[in-house]
Amino acid sequence: MKKNIYLKLIIVVLLLINLFNFQAEKKVSASSKIYQVPVQLWHAENSGRLSMGNNALASIAQVEENAKGSIYTVEFIPMHFMNLKGHLLSMSVYSGPLFAGGLSQASVISSYQDTDLSGGVSTFPALLQFYRSAQKEDKIGVSVSVDAMNEIIGGDASQKAILKFNWKAASLISGSEEEASYEETKVVEKNSGENKIVENTVEEKNQTSQEEKSDDEKKASDEEKASDEEKQKEETKTEFTKKQVADFFKNDVKTKEVGLYKIDITAQYLNPLTGVTADGGTKNIEIGQGMSQGVISPINNNSGNLEEAIKNQKSGGEKRWSKAQLQRTKDGKLYATVRIHLINWVTRNKEQGPFIKVLQENGEYKLVESKETSSHIEQYKDSYADYTFEVPRENFSAMVQMFVEPMNRPVRFFVEVNPDTIQKGGVDGMKAIEEKNNNIYYIVVGVFAIIILLLAYVLRSKKKNIGKE
């Protein structure tokens, strides 16, 4: 009898505990807050200028708050620019304010299929989700990778950007503004063009393991990344050798005679005199070097395949050389003609260039007059334009500045030449400067001088005759 009483008591206690837990969980669930927040993708410089990838970001994000922080869900769609359809490949989020701390890749909640750059069908992220320990942050630093930019740059062209949230225009779609804690998370699932809220209860241990790294793991990850960055910097330093101004102003040896000459050129992202970049891209030296090489010496098998036409330097740091043209004119001046590839990605006008500066003996790069002497523009093949400008020596140094539309900013790089490869003869497809025939000029000047002398002689003779009379 007593055993039955004890058993009933235990059952009652368990029922009361379960009822208490149910009421607590119900209260917790009712206190959860979900917002719809306007969002934009800003340029990494944090000046309020929109990033080129903003058109790929859906204008409304969903943010769910709990006592531990916030869960952000953002949506990406295909973006059209420069006759290409670009797609987000991945997004990583900085753990600290803006670009401080380590990077953690956002989770892909849903995806979509679309035609990729090679004409096939690939799967791309649609909804991405990431966790933040803070609430109502207006700016979050991210790193995004886009397939079109990877093709243009020729490798991983991940770029920094800022997710800017407008909390003043946010809408509360679930829960109340009263502060409370809860242990549920919700994700947004895209289905038939409509956002559907799906509730998933996650155990605290699993959530912690997925959303937060241990201090030891973060420290090891940061140290590993720092080590890799240092190695890359060291490799770049060992490959680069600074030069002196005097190196570029030695006497000409092979182009003394009037005529056309071939010379090998390549591109260098770093200033040959200082070893630093001219456009502020010090943290992306390898990317900048790859694009510079692609502009001057692209890999192109003329197959008409877009990927081949815009493929650039991948890795290894090896230099690739292309032919340029030198011309010694009759007046003794020396002109260079340089071919700039990928020109269909570049703005060409008086305001944006391309501009060319040439190293002077005082150590400054001076803007010189350059003329576009020929161009070849095709949508799905390598496009280029030739620019002719005056140089002081065979071994000249020039800086090219051009506005790259997909990057939405000007890019500057340096042209490096190899004077040891100079040979007589022009480069196929490059035009020469047409010089006027100076013989006619000299004949006219000579005849005019003779007439003047004859007139002077006649006048002098008349004066003598008048004097005698």
Side-chain angles (χ1 to χ4, degrees):
M1 187 70 179
K2 290 183 178 180
K3 291 183 178 179
N4 292 333
I5 293 174
Y6 291 144
L7 181 61
K8 289 180 179 180
L9 287 174
I10 292 173
I11 293 173
V12 169
V13 171
L14 291 175
L15 287 174
L16 289 173
I17 292 174
N18 289 335
L19 180 62
F20 175 79
N21 288 337
F22 174 77
Q23 293 295 334
E25 289 180 1
K26 185 177 180 181
K27 183 179 178 181
V28 165
S29 178
S31 66
S32 63
K33 293 176 288 185
I34 300 177
Y35 297 89
Q36 286 186 342
V37 190
V39 63
Q40 291 178 322
L41 194 66
W42 278 14
H43 196 276
E45 64 188 14
N46 197 19
S47 64
R49 184 159 61 96
L50 291 177
S51 169
M52 68 174 185
N54 183 62
N55 291 334
L57 176 66
S59 59
I60 299 296
Q62 179 166 295
V63 183
E64 182 178 2
E65 290 185 351
N66 59 46
K68 295 180 180 180
S70 305
I71 300 171
Y72 289 77
T73 305
V74 292
E75 180 181 3
F76 283 87
I77 58 177
M79 181 183 69
H80 295 269
F81 65 95
M82 299 297 294
N83 298 317
L84 283 179
K85 183 190 286 187
H87 309 85
L88 180 85
L89 299 179
S90 65
M91 182 180 75
S92 298
V93 184
Y94 285 88
S95 60
L98 282 186
F99 304 116
L103 279 171
S104 297
Q105 190 163 341
S107 301
V108 178
I109 305 304
S110 67
S111 57
Y112 67 95
Q113 288 189 328
D114 196 15
T115 303
D116 56 29
L117 297 180
S118 62
V121 177
S122 296
T123 301
F124 303 99
L127 291 174
L128 291 95
Q129 192 176 86
F130 58 92
Y131 170 81
R132 302 287 290 179
S133 59
Q135 293 183 349
K136 292 184 173 61
E137 293 178 277
D138 61 343
K139 296 177 183 178
I140 298 176
V142 297
S143 177
V144 294
S145 175
V146 180
D147 55 358
M149 282 304 302
N150 289 350
E151 290 293 342
I152 295 171
I153 298 299
D156 182 12
S158 299
Q159 292 190 346
K160 293 180 180 178
I162 300 172
L163 286 174
K164 173 67 170 64
F165 296 89
N166 183 5
W167 282 100
K168 291 181 179 179
S171 300
L172 181 66
I173 62 173
S174 177
S176 65
E177 292 294 352
E178 296 179 0
E179 293 186 359
S181 63
Y182 72 105
E183 296 178 354
E184 289 182 340
T185 62
K186 298 175 183 178
V187 298
V188 178
E189 184 176 76
K190 186 81 171 178
N191 186 12
S192 301
E194 298 180 356
N195 288 334
K196 179 180 178 183
I197 305 298
V198 181
E199 297 188 359
N200 295 317
T201 302
V202 183
E203 293 182 2
E204 185 175 353
K205 291 183 180 180
N206 292 337
Q207 182 178 353
T208 302
S209 64
Q210 292 176 2
E211 298 177 339
E212 298 177 351
K213 289 183 177 180
S214 67
D215 293 339
D216 293 338
E217 288 176 337
K218 286 184 177 180
K219 184 176 180 181
S221 177
D222 291 343
E223 289 178 353
E224 184 178 352
K225 289 179 181 178
S227 177
D228 292 340
E229 290 177 359
E230 288 299 322
K231 287 179 181 179
Q232 291 179 356
K233 290 180 180 179
E234 289 299 323
E235 289 175 0
T236 304
K237 289 180 181 179
T238 55
E239 292 172 3
F240 179 81
T241 303
K242 292 183 182 179
K243 295 183 180 180
Q244 304 296 321
V245 176
D247 296 332
F248 298 98
F249 286 89
K250 297 177 181 179
N251 292 331
D252 293 335
V253 176
K254 299 184 178 181
T255 60
K256 292 183 177 180
E257 298 180 0
V258 174
L260 296 176
Y261 300 85
K262 300 175 184 177
I263 185 172
D264 286 340
I265 65 170
T266 188
Q268 176 64 53
Y269 190 50
L270 300 179
N271 186 317
L273 301 177
T274 64
V276 299
T277 65
D279 60 3
T282 53
K283 294 183 179 180
N284 295 313
I285 293 176
E286 291 188 354
I287 294 177
Q289 180 65 16
M291 183 166 194
S292 301
Q293 289 276 295
V295 171
I296 295 299
S297 306
I299 299 174
N300 182 18
N301 61 5
N302 295 317
S303 65
N305 184 287
L306 178 61
E307 293 184 15
E308 293 296 326
I310 61 179
K311 189 185 295 182
N312 297 326
Q313 178 171 306
K314 295 289 186 181
S315 61
E318 70 279 2
K319 293 181 180 179
R320 296 203 309 272
W321 298 85
S322 292
K323 291 295 181 183
Q325 186 169 273
L326 291 173
Q327 182 176 359
R328 180 74 69 180
T329 55
K330 294 176 182 178
D331 57 4
K333 294 181 179 180
L334 187 63
Y335 292 87
T337 299
V338 173
R339 179 162 292 175
I340 295 179
H341 297 263
L342 308 181
I343 201 68
N344 50 326
W345 307 100
V346 174
T347 299
R348 295 148 68 205
N349 57 39
K350 293 181 180 180
E351 290 74 28
Q352 300 288 2
F355 300 116
I356 297 177
K357 295 184 177 182
V358 176
L359 181 64
Q360 308 297 309
E361 287 191 88
N362 61 2
E364 295 182 0
Y365 281 87
K366 179 182 177 182
L367 181 66
V368 297
E369 182 181 357
S370 59
K371 182 180 180 182
E372 184 179 303
T373 50
S374 65
S375 62
H376 177 81
I377 310 297
E378 291 191 38
Q379 182 176 354
Y380 297 112
K381 291 186 180 181
D382 179 36
S383 296
Y384 60 81
D386 293 341
Y387 289 88
T388 300
F389 51 95
E390 185 178 356
V391 296
R393 295 290 190 277
E394 296 171 354
N395 186 25
F396 67 90
S397 177
M399 182 180 74
V400 178
Q401 175 180 319
M402 59 188 193
F403 190 88
V404 182
E405 294 179 3
M407 297 180 68
N408 196 30
R409 71 175 180 89
V411 172
R412 301 180 184 92
F413 63 91
F414 298 83
V415 175
E416 178 185 347
V417 305
N418 183 1
D420 295 334
T421 64
I422 294 177
Q423 296 178 340
K424 284 189 175 182
V427 177
D428 292 341
M430 286 189 179
K431 294 182 179 179
I433 297 174
E434 295 183 3
E435 297 191 75
K436 295 180 180 179
N437 192 340
N438 290 331
N439 292 333
I440 297 176
Y441 171 80
Y442 291 128
I443 292 172
V444 172
V445 172
V447 171
F448 184 75
I450 292 173
I451 292 174
I452 295 295
L453 291 173
L454 288 174
L455 289 174
Y457 177 77
V458 171
L459 290 174
R460 186 177 180 185
S461 297
K462 286 184 177 181
K463 286 181 179 180
K464 286 183 178 180
N465 292 333
I466 293 173
K468 288 181 180 179
E469 294 178 356

